[in-house]
Amino acid sequence: MRSFLAVFTAALILGTAAGSVPAGPSAATQRSCPRGTLFCEDFERLPLGGPSTLNWGVDTRHGTLTVEHARHGNQVLHLHTVDNGRAFLRVDDFAAPGNRFYGRMRLRVDAFPTAPDWAHFTLVEATGSGSSEVVRPIGGQYAPTVPGTFWGVGADGGPTGDWTNWRESAPVTEDTWQCFEWQLDPTDNRVAVWIDGMAKPELTASTTDHGGNDVPFVLPAVDTVKIGWQLYQGGTTPGEFDLWIDDIALSTKRLGC
């Protein structure tokens, strides 16, 4: 009888612990940095406070980056910006074989802009040589005509112009952890996106199918990837933005969520 009670009690404790694992970023900590990644950061080994690492740089204007404990105990990167500020983790000297790579991050945004009209923002930006396009695989825009704020692939600085190809089928979600993946493939200068493991075929761009000027869209040979937040118009509502990022990875293969 004592043996049965001991087994039953142990099973109950383990079951309770398993049921309490949150759906947030800490649920994937064990596999957040698998071998073979081109770049990976889960923030677990960094001291709390301002970033202190040689593995990546910082790009800010009216913004800050802080390593802190999340609600469930794991460490995440907290980004804070004011108005149209920016705060990016910057991966320099990046090189993917054949210029083809996947990215992944887990993300929670406190609130998205609802003013000014057409306010657009970027969370991932890729630049490099051979093309002046500033590629923005993860970004979005507030559309007053709907109204609503939606995810969309975008670019700037190149022949295709400044565009964010947002889609009503991809509305943003505030104050919720989500997993974002993206791929850049020079075969057809393709950008592809997944949200929470689901392909979003409407959030794509390619050589001839994009949201800009009627000229070919050509990916650069990417040597810099920035991950964070930038909003490009002033006079925003809200006036400040907070987001949390975890489990960043860049890889030659899709890592999944």
Side-chain angles (χ1 to χ4, degrees):
M1 185 65 178
R2 289 181 180 176
S3 177
F4 171 78
L5 288 174
V7 172
F8 176 79
T9 302
L12 182 62
I13 292 172
L14 289 172
T16 302
S20 66
V21 174
S26 60
T29 299
Q30 294 301 318
R31 57 187 177 89
S32 61
C33 284
R35 291 185 178 182
T37 53
L38 301 170
F39 173 82
C40 194
E41 179 62 84
D42 61 9
F43 307 103
E44 295 302 318
R45 295 174 178 83
L46 297 184
L48 299 178
S52 179
T53 177
L54 297 178
N55 294 329
W56 45 271
V58 170
D59 179 4
T60 63
R61 176 183 175 276
H62 302 312
T64 60
L65 297 89
T66 308
V67 177
E68 64 181 35
H69 286 302
R71 295 172 180 172
H72 300 291
N74 61 301
Q75 293 188 179
V76 298
L77 186 66
H78 176 196
L79 296 88
H80 175 80
T81 62
V82 176
D83 200 43
N84 61 337
R86 68 176 183 266
F88 282 112
L89 174 158
R90 179 179 174 124
V91 183
D92 291 305
D93 301 321
F94 178 76
N99 198 37
R100 181 179 184 271
F101 68 97
Y102 294 80
R104 184 201 65 198
M105 67 175 174
R106 292 182 174 83
L107 170 74
R108 179 167 71 91
V109 181
D110 183 53
F112 289 89
T114 56
D117 290 350
W118 307 109
H120 69 291
F121 50 89
T122 296
L123 288 98
V124 177
E125 185 175 282
T127 55
S129 61
S131 171
S132 56
E133 298 283 5
V134 178
V135 183
R136 298 166 175 165
I138 307 294
Q141 190 162 31
Y142 169 67
T145 53
V146 178
T149 307
F150 306 96
W151 296 111
V153 174
D156 192 10
T160 59
D162 182 4
W163 51 276
T164 301
N165 205 10
W166 54 270
R167 288 288 182 263
E168 288 186 46
S169 59
V172 301
T173 302
E174 296 182 344
D175 199 27
T176 299
W177 279 104
Q178 292 182 288
C179 178
F180 286 79
E181 300 173 86
W182 62 94
Q183 180 195 24
L184 271 61
D185 187 349
T187 303
D188 189 25
N189 296 294
R190 181 166 297 276
V191 181
V193 175
W194 296 259
I195 300 179
D196 289 333
M198 300 295 294
K200 302 294 289 184
E202 69 273 36
L203 299 181
T204 59
S206 64
T207 307
T208 58
D209 185 9
H210 54 81
N213 299 324
D214 189 17
V215 295
F217 173 63
V218 179
L219 294 174
V222 177
D223 57 28
T224 302
V225 179
K226 298 199 299 184
I227 297 172
W229 175 269
Q230 181 168 4
L231 200 152
Y232 302 94
Q233 292 79 24
T236 60
T237 301
E240 300 181 4
F241 297 90
D242 288 277
L243 59 151
W244 293 262
I245 295 178
D246 199 8
D247 297 335
I248 298 171
L250 305 174
S251 176
T252 57
K253 61 182 180 181
R254 187 182 167 201
L255 298 171
C257 291

